[in-house]
Amino acid sequence: MSIDNWQTFLDRWSEQWVAVQDGADPEEVDEEALEAGGLGFPPLDEAGTAALEERLGTVLPPSYRAFLQASDGWRYAGGGVYLLAGSAGVRWHGDPMGMKPLYERQLDERSRPSEVLMAGMWDRALQLALDSDMTDVLLDPGDVGEDGEWAVYVYKGWSGEYPERYDSFTRYMEEAYRDFHGDHSHLPGFDNEETRRLDALVERARTACLAGEDPAAQFAAFDEARAYGRPGAALLHSQVEAMTRPAGHIPAERDLDDPFYAREAMPLIAAGHCRSHRAGDDDFFLRVHGEENREKAADLLEAVRKRTFRYDAPGPFGQAVASAREQARWGDTDGAWRTIAAAVPDWEPYGPLHLAPIGLRADPLLGPVVTAERGWRLLATPRAGHGAPGGGADGVPGGGPDGVSSAGDGPWGLGRPSEAQLAGHSYRFVAVQGIAPGELAGRLGARELLAPSTAHEMWELRHEGYMATGRKHAVFRVGRCGGGGDWSFAFEQDPEPWRPGRVAADVQVSAGTRAVAVWCERGPLVPGPGEAFPDVLRFSCAQDGRRTFVSTARGGAAETAGTPPEGIDAALFGPALFGSGPAGRPGDGRAGEGGPRLLREAEVRALDAAGAALGISLPWFALEHGRLHVGLGSSWFGPPEPGGPYPSSAFVRQRPGH
């Protein structure tokens, strides 16, 4: 609630406090306050206010002045504050503990204005807390808003944390009132106008959320009720949050016999544990589930950590989830989302406080598919037979409170889209027609497919393999890339250096079918003294173990051989890939210290044209943000081709210090 009238607000708060004293511990009842009629004091008149301002030598801010004229002080303001000062007790703080020098020593030229204000307020603020649990309530005349209000800083000396700032005394008292409700909401007899309003708000928002009505508005309603500690509000709020942002705390009862907790909340909590600073202390996660459930909790945690956890759900929605997982594991994350979105109206909750399939976000394959925007779209789809559509999973205007408006995989094509996070790095891939991803991995030397991994997890696998064997392995991800004839691909980021005169992966894997391979290598953006590492883009095609076309563009020139597949313009893979000019910024495509640079636009244009001619594309969203199965293979090179058209001399890129 907001304070429109101080007298009304304080009277309501005091009446609610008095009403719960009958059920309070007799040793904690404040008889003096009860005899006085509640938490307040007689009001301060205008003359008394003027005298106080004269004593302090300042004009008080509007909200604190209005408060005093409704009640000259306040008991139990929450947060360990037992008595809030009226006119007789308010005083200048004076910084008796010497906090100002401590805070000022942390300031430098990069400090924000808010940090400078906080550091300087200790010796200029008014102290409002007369009796407290090591808590200062400081009203700062040096931090003034456009409305003339002074900021309030609450410093809990026992916490070791920075003071909490409020824009005004009004905002501080509103928060204190919410704390009062939160402290008493668990009491059976705590029933009043405010609790009834909030409980009705929660129920309306719950049914509206299930009906797909404006999930951002329902999220705000849950948030308001949660701040007052209303039963169920925090759990509902956390589910909307879990669908639309990185999973946080899920305040559900730890009951492994409850399917909501065991199948939805617990996996998310486990995933959060694996990402947190406590990831090395599994006992922290295990002990909260009790000794009787320790083994089950450990099994789940291990599955989440090793990315073998599989989210499931009952009924048609669960069947759709299984289908979507198969699509996502080979790269079709857009198709996986469409499968999930189409089944959302068939989703069924485990109980009245279950809003959405939050466990999806813990699934190693489907979690990346349900982006924040898609989470909003899912919430805007009617579920469990509730209501009329509020936009649906494929038609939510705005997408959420941040105004995101689209949720596709982004551009599909063989060329890496411009917004890709690793756009400036080296990579290679091969696409093969008519064989499954697992068979492609086998042709590249992988004995088995490992668990789906992200780009970062790939780096760890490569590093671990090198540390174990002392030699580098090809570490690549595999999936499907569409097209007639069911094409598969293998993709590796930052591979071993390109070398001319060797059989590349297209020949190696094309037995009985056809394949295309791309190798893109970029030298350092800022070469060291005497270094010259020309950028390379190599595009090649092979059929039944023989190369049919190859173009190697390097250092502004190109060598080609053979005939490209129908519809592919060989000129796109020639010198047109490079920029020209005397010297330019690193990576802008013009010639610089390291030689001519590949033009990003020309690279994408050439590869997308080839993909269009072949009817294939790479799932860049899955490669950048999702997880795909991993193969650990030997070098993608075979021995030199007998009688091959290329010299066997090797170009080996050496990095400084290696």
Side-chain angles (χ1 to χ4, degrees), residues 13 15 17 77 101 114 209 211 230 248 258 284 291 293 300 396 421 489 535 545 558 569 576 598 613 633:
W13 186 350
E15 290 168 3
W17 178 84
S114 59
C209 189
R230 297 315 302 154
D258 176 7
F284 180 84
E291 200 59 38
N293 294 315
L300 173 66
V396 181
Q421 296 176 358
F489 73 88
D535 291 348
D569 183 359
L598 283 171

Side-chain angles (χ1 to χ4, degrees), residues 6 9 13 67 84 169-177:
W6 275 99
F9 169 74
W13 186 350
F67 160 75
L84 204 61
F169 183 74
T170 295
R171 297 292 172 261
Y172 163 69
M173 289 294 278
E174 288 172 349
E175 180 64 23
Y177 178 64

Side-chain angles (χ1 to χ4, degrees), residues 257-518:
D257 292 327
D258 176 7
F260 169 74
Y261 182 76
R263 297 186 177 186
E264 304 280 352
M266 189 178 176
L268 267 181
I269 296 170
H273 170 82
C274 291
R275 291 192 302 268
S276 74
H277 66 280
R278 294 192 176 100
D281 179 17
D282 286 353
D283 189 60
F284 180 84
F285 174 82
L286 300 176
R287 66 174 177 262
V288 299
H289 293 96
E291 200 59 38
E292 69 279 9
N293 294 315
R294 189 179 183 89
E295 185 176 350
K296 290 182 180 178
D299 289 345
L300 173 66
L301 188 60
E302 187 74 358
V304 169
R305 176 171 286 130
K306 290 187 174 180
R307 305 184 297 282
T308 58
F309 168 72
R310 294 168 61 92
Y311 172 78
D312 61 8
F317 184 76
Q319 297 169 12
V321 165
S323 299
R325 183 180 293 104
E326 281 301 300
Q327 293 171 291
R329 71 189 292 229
W330 304 120
D332 187 8
T333 52
D334 217 18
W337 162 245
R338 287 192 294 269
T339 298
I340 291 171
V344 168
D346 294 325
W347 173 81
E348 298 177 5
Y350 287 120
L353 294 182
H354 189 188
L355 284 180
I358 60 174
L360 274 171
R361 299 298 299 271
D363 190 291
L365 288 168
L366 298 178
V369 170
V370 186
T371 61
E373 183 204 347
R374 286 171 171 171
W376 286 113
R377 290 185 171 214
L378 188 151
L379 290 168
T381 303
R383 304 174 297 287
H386 283 72
D394 289 315
V396 181
D402 296 328
V404 182
S405 59
S406 63
D409 275 355
W412 270 61
L414 291 182
R416 176 170 282 176
S418 59
E419 66 271 16
Q421 296 176 358
L422 302 174
H425 290 218
S426 304
Y427 63 90
R428 62 182 176 182
F429 66 84
V430 59
V432 186
Q433 186 177 28
I435 65 173
E439 182 181 347
L440 172 57
R443 292 190 181 193
L444 290 171
R447 296 181 179 179
E448 61 178 343
L449 288 182
L450 303 183
S453 299
T454 63
H456 177 72
E457 291 159 351
M458 288 277 291
W459 181 90
E460 293 178 337
L461 285 169
R462 181 182 290 112
H463 179 72
E464 291 170 0
Y466 178 78
M467 294 301 292
T469 64
R471 59 189 179 88
K472 293 184 178 180
H473 296 261
V475 183
F476 51 88
R477 287 184 286 174
V478 296
R480 301 190 187 279
C481 49
D486 195 19
W487 289 68
S488 297
F489 73 88
F491 181 94
E492 184 175 12
Q493 184 72 41
D494 288 332
E496 58 188 312
W498 174 82
R499 302 175 185 180
R502 297 282 181 169
V503 177
D506 55 338
V507 172
Q508 182 177 340
V509 302
S510 65
T513 183
R514 62 173 176 160
V516 296
V518 171

Side-chain angles (χ1 to χ4, degrees), residues 132-171:
S132 70
D133 181 13
M134 296 180 63
T135 300
D136 293 325
V137 180
L138 304 174
L139 191 58
D140 183 13
D143 188 352
V144 184
E146 294 181 358
D147 55 1
E149 293 289 357
W150 301 3
V152 171
Y153 290 87
V154 177
Y155 176 62
K156 300 175 181 178
W158 48 266
S159 71
E161 299 175 351
Y162 284 95
E164 188 170 0
R165 181 187 180 277
Y166 301 89
D167 289 340
S168 66
F169 183 74
T170 295
R171 297 292 172 261

Side-chain angles (χ1 to χ4, degrees), residues 84-143:
L84 204 61
S87 58
V90 64
R91 66 184 188 280
W92 294 109
H93 181 243
D95 193 21
M97 302 301 294
M99 303 297 290
K100 181 178 179 180
L102 296 177
Y103 277 71
E104 287 184 333
R105 279 201 291 270
Q106 302 177 45
L107 300 177
D108 56 31
E109 64 277 1
R110 295 171 297 178
S111 298
R112 298 187 299 272
S114 59
E115 294 172 323
V116 175
L117 284 172
M118 181 183 293
M121 67 92 185
W122 296 95
D123 63 353
R124 68 174 179 242
L126 287 173
Q127 170 67 282
L128 302 187
L130 295 185
D131 183 13
S132 70
D133 181 13
M134 296 180 63
T135 300
D136 293 325
V137 180
L138 304 174
L139 191 58
D140 183 13
D143 188 352

